[in-house]
Amino acid sequence: MSGEPQHIDDVHHELKLRGVLGWIEYRLPVFNWINNAVGTNYPTPKNLNYFWNFGALAGIALVIQILTGIVLAAHYVPTVDGAFASVERIMRDVNYGWLFRYVHANGASLFFAIVYVHLFRNLYYGSYKYPRELLWWLGLIILLLMIITAFMGYVLPWGQMSYWGATVITNLFGAIPVIGDELVLWLWGGYSVGEALLRGFYSLHYLLAFVIAGLAILHIWALHQHRSNNPLGIDIKGPQDVLPFHPYYTTKDLFGLGIYLILFAALVFYMPNALGEPDNYIPADPLQTPAHIVPEWYLLPFYAILRAIPDKLGGVMALAAALLVLFVVPWLDTSKVRSARFRPIYKQLFWILVADVFLLGYIGGSPAEGIYIPIGQLATAYYFLHFLVLLPIVGKLESPKPLPDSIATAVLEENKRKRARKLPQVGAQPTSAGGHH
Amino acid sequence: MTAEPKGDDGTRRDFIYIATGAFATVGAGIATWPFIDQMNPAADVLALASLEVDISGIQPGHALTVKWRGKPVFIRHRTPDEVQQARAVNVADLRDPVRDEDRVQQAEWLIVVGICTHLGCIPLGVKETDPKGDFDGYFCPCHGSHYDSSARVRKGPAPRNLEVPAYEFLTPTLVKIG
Ligand code: HEM
Ligand code: FES
């Protein structure tokens, strides 16, 4: 770039359309709308790394859930007597039914994996900070609804885990003082988990996916207002810091999607039940509790926190707090610097938190006995310690490394350093998408 | 309506705004209730009949599970030993202090809803081979709650004793639950 630094909004790539497209565009400017959203007219920081693929992947994962879900819904029977059999029929008799169900079930798992990476990416690069707090909140609300949606979906096949998972989780609400018992009765629509609950869950499971889609649109709207954060965590200063989304990031996202679909296919075609619980292939039996009730892997850390507190109400409150604390992270983090790259102490705390969450997941999947109990309690305590104590203090005490002047200078310098270190440089580095020379 | 003083006009408008807003809010609030209440147990569910059980076949020391309102009910024929044990406890020490005498109508028959008061699993202890916990009653495997021979919680996370349903003895060997 040469001459005066321009404002990035001065760079316009208006589409000039003729013929049929021009006719439509004149009446409904949909093509420029797309172009402004994910096209050549959406300026994106030039230094995004592969962790910035996960938002787009999450969107695709949602679309896959909705498409496969609509097909499943056409063959599924939401009754206590019919549900299990209808899912077995989908698996055995409906043409490609097995494919739709395995894609839907494993797709839910991978959807969570993607969203968790996405969330921890934000924690690492401080993307939740000013001015992206609302963007962060919308993401957390989406996560909350995903948890509810997946839980309700898991009840639908009406296997043993479906039934007993529903029983244990709905009973949690009974811990709420005064209204608890009434609330549980209301959730059940009867005296136990049964027909009324199954139908209600089915209806809401279908609905919530679309509520999530709506929120995702708001999420992206908020993103576009201040544009993507980046690995350096510094603001875009001018056109030299950005690249048009298309073709640079459409290509990069497509590449990421390719990798994702390969993993997805490996899971669906070679180990479709690896992430599931065998007990859910036993029809629900209201008179027989399975020996171990465990949720799907993506809820295990929360389950561990629930069980860490030896009191029913306390456990429920800890579970809720574990999610709610994330909403106040933008204010608990007192550091002005976004990216952990320039925050030596926070960077270490981040990785300890990651390890802690994995530990919680492991504990959540283990029986609640012996040594697992105190470990689970310690890991829970650390989770809250990280957010409520360490995060505010570290922001004040730590002295961050100096920030680069701009994205462009940092990218140029990094490339220079790399070239000096090992000549010749082959291909682009994954950490600097814009480093083509 | 041509020569309204300005200030007066403003007040009337405010009134209309507020009245409209208030009506809409109350209306929306009232309209919400059916949406909430439709989820409560329906009339046919509430009308579920009670259940009559013949208990003549249950030997002392044995128990039976029956299904009532979709839930298991444990009917245990207690031995004199078990009764004695349940009554020897110092009630004040219990988490949910209730005397055994207040939990049964006839000393040898303990009838409780077989749903753990923690998170709703079904405790073990009905079958001969089941673990009965540290207090010779029921044991919930989900998170380790122990119930005694009066089905009172003695250990573990459960906050309350197993619930005693409404029941009556129609004859010495026929009990009506509900
Ligand atoms: C946020 C998106 C969604 C998530 C995370 C999700 C998750 C799940 C999960 C975990 C299951 C249980 C899978 C199993 O073990 O069998 C399930 C089942 C089901 N879902 Fe979804 N779902 C989503 C969207 C949808 C949509 C949009 C529909 C309908 C249009 C749908 C319809 C169904 C049906 C009919 C079942 C029962 C059949 C089965 O168990 O495979 N889902 N869902
Ligand atoms: S449900 Fe029985 S101990 Fe938790």
Side-chain angles (χ1 to χ4, degrees):
Chain A
M1 303 285 158
S2 61
E4 290 287 296
Q6 296 164 283
H7 190 264
I8 48 167
D9 286 333
D10 296 344
V11 197
H12 272 299
H13 302 265
E14 283 292 333
L15 295 178
K16 308 266 181 301
L17 297 164
R18 293 172 187 289
V20 179
L21 297 187
W23 187 91
I24 295 172
E25 184 72 7
Y26 183 68
R27 287 154 182 83
L28 179 72
V30 61
F31 299 105
N32 267 300
W33 182 79
I34 294 172
N35 195 40
N36 293 340
V38 290
T40 53
N41 202 29
Y42 181 59
T44 314
K46 56 162 62 165
N47 60 335
L48 300 187
N49 61 31
Y50 276 102
F51 285 108
W52 266 261
N53 277 50
F54 286 81
L57 282 181
I60 291 165
L62 177 61
V63 171
I64 292 176
Q65 288 309 103
I66 290 179
L67 292 181
T68 51
I70 289 172
V71 173
L72 289 173
H75 301 279
Y76 172 77
V77 179
T79 64
V80 165
D81 295 326
F84 188 87
S86 77
V87 172
E88 284 308 303
R89 185 178 161 267
I90 290 172
M91 294 299 290
R92 292 154 201 254
D93 297 338
V94 175
N95 298 334
Y96 290 105
W98 58 272
L99 181 63
F100 286 107
R101 173 155 185 264
Y102 278 154
V103 169
H104 196 75
N106 288 290
S109 250
L110 290 179
F111 193 5
F112 274 92
I114 289 169
V115 167
Y116 284 148
V117 174
H118 188 66
L119 187 151
F120 276 89
R121 187 279 315 264
N122 295 330
L123 286 176
Y124 188 85
Y125 293 110
S127 303
Y128 46 79
K129 287 186 202 182
Y130 173 88
R132 298 188 181 83
E133 302 93 330
L134 201 53
L135 175 58
W136 168 250
W137 277 18
L138 284 164
L140 290 177
I141 295 170
I142 290 174
L143 175 63
L144 262 173
L145 290 181
M146 273 176 66
I147 291 173
I148 296 171
T149 308
F151 162 64
M152 290 179 164
Y154 194 63
V155 173
L156 300 183
W158 211 245
Q160 272 291 67
M161 272 309 160
S162 301
Y163 183 89
W164 289 101
T167 299
V168 166
I169 299 300
T170 48
N171 265 304
L172 288 178
F173 292 90
I176 298 168
V178 188
I179 56 160
D181 290 339
E182 282 293 308
L183 189 62
V184 173
L185 201 66
W186 177 74
L187 282 171
W188 289 345
Y191 296 105
S192 59
V193 168
E195 190 91 18
L197 175 131
L198 176 60
R199 293 192 188 182
F201 274 21
Y202 180 46
S203 168
L204 290 176
H205 182 71
Y206 205 132
L207 170 73
L208 284 180
F210 292 89
V211 175
I212 291 173
L215 285 166
I217 290 171
L218 290 184
H219 188 73
I220 292 166
W221 191 357
L223 169 73
H224 282 208
Q225 181 68 10
H226 292 283
R227 302 203 168 84
S228 295
N229 185 29
N230 63 82
L232 297 170
I234 57 177
D235 290 332
I236 297 169
K237 302 226 167 81
Q240 68 281 7
D241 290 342
V242 297
L243 290 169
F245 193 86
H246 180 74
Y248 292 95
Y249 288 108
T250 39
T251 315
K252 193 166 178 167
D253 280 341
L254 217 55
F255 178 68
L257 176 65
I259 306 271
Y260 174 65
L261 291 180
I262 290 171
L263 285 174
F264 202 154
L267 204 57
V268 165
F269 295 114
Y270 292 98
M271 38 166 109
N273 290 308
L275 299 172
E277 201 39 61
D279 269 23
N280 223 25
Y281 282 105
I282 303 170
D285 179 357
L287 297 185
Q288 178 78 47
T289 311
H292 293 291
I293 300 183
V294 279
E296 294 273 272
W297 69 266
Y298 43 81
L299 300 179
L300 288 175
F302 296 114
Y303 195 53
I305 291 175
L306 168 75
R307 295 193 304 184
I309 316 288
D311 171 79
K312 187 166 160 183
L313 180 59
V316 175
M317 292 198 333
L319 173 65
L323 276 164
L324 293 180
V325 73
L326 296 174
F327 281 86
V328 280
V329 162
W331 296 275
L332 290 172
D333 185 345
T334 49
S335 174
K336 291 272 173 287
V337 176
R338 292 200 188 99
S339 173
R341 275 202 193 166
F342 305 103
R343 303 186 57 193
I345 303 177
Y346 175 71
K347 189 188 217 166
Q348 293 173 30
L349 290 179
F350 171 85
W351 288 112
I352 297 174
L353 178 71
V354 171
D356 187 57
V357 170
F358 271 100
L359 180 63
L360 280 170
Y362 176 74
I363 297 291
S366 310
E369 59 194 30
I371 186 74
Y372 294 124
I373 294 176
I375 296 180
Q377 289 171 336
L378 276 178
T380 301
Y382 184 81
Y383 179 89
F384 287 106
L385 185 80
H386 173 92
F387 289 112
L388 295 175
V389 180
L390 300 179
L391 204 53
I393 293 179
V394 168
K396 295 246 190 276
L397 296 188
E398 170 185 65
S399 37
K401 294 193 209 159
L403 296 175
D405 291 335
S406 74
I407 296 172
T409 49
V411 168
L412 284 177
E413 253 163 50
E414 192 179 335
N415 282 339
K416 237 182 274 166
R417 239 182 303 121
K418 270 179 199 148
R419 216 168 314 139
R421 231 183 300 134
K422 46 173 178 175
L423 279 162
Q425 177 76 23
V426 193
Q429 287 298 306
T431 46
S432 53
H436 53 286
H437 285 276
Chain B
M1 297 293 274
T2 41
E4 287 276 3
K6 264 214 154 165
D8 195 32
D9 191 36
T11 329
R12 284 190 183 201
R13 258 197 201 164
D14 287 349
F15 175 77
I16 290 174
Y17 275 140
I18 292 168
T20 313
F23 255 83
T25 310
V26 171
I30 292 172
T32 314
W33 176 244
F35 283 94
I36 295 172
D37 194 41
Q38 53 86 18
M39 274 177 71
N40 273 317
D44 62 332
V45 176
L46 288 171
L48 261 191
S50 50
L51 179 72
E52 288 179 17
V53 188
D54 177 4
I55 54 174
S56 59
I58 310 175
Q59 299 302 313
H62 289 241
L64 181 75
T65 305
V66 295
K67 198 167 157 190
W68 170 69
R69 286 178 165 179
K71 305 179 195 185
V73 170
F74 296 163
I75 304 176
R76 172 173 296 279
H77 193 169
R78 298 193 294 183
T79 60
D81 241 17
E82 286 169 337
V83 176
Q84 214 275 317
Q85 224 179 317
R87 299 194 170 178
V89 176
N90 181 2
V91 173
D93 294 343
L94 297 175
R95 184 176 305 167
D96 183 3
V98 188
R99 293 183 326 142
D100 180 63
E101 290 86 336
D102 298 333
R103 288 177 55 77
V104 294
Q105 291 177 16
Q106 295 183 11
E108 66 270 36
W109 292 104
L110 174 69
I111 301 181
V112 291
V113 175
I115 291 193
C116 181
T117 56
H118 181 227
L119 295 177
C121 290
I122 297 182
L124 299 170
V126 169
K127 274 193 233 131
E128 207 73 356
T129 48
D130 280 352
K132 294 189 165 48
D134 296 352
F135 300 89
D136 227 11
Y138 298 102
F139 170 68
C140 181
C142 286
H143 316 93
S145 289
H146 299 250
Y147 297 90
D148 67 12
S149 54
S150 186
R152 293 173 298 201
V153 61
R154 300 292 289 274
K155 196 172 150 189
R160 279 173 289 114
N161 304 333
L162 292 188
E163 186 197 334
V164 178
Y167 65 88
E168 65 178 306
F169 284 92
L170 300 177
T171 73
T173 58
L174 190 66
V175 62
K176 181 174 137 212
I177 299 168

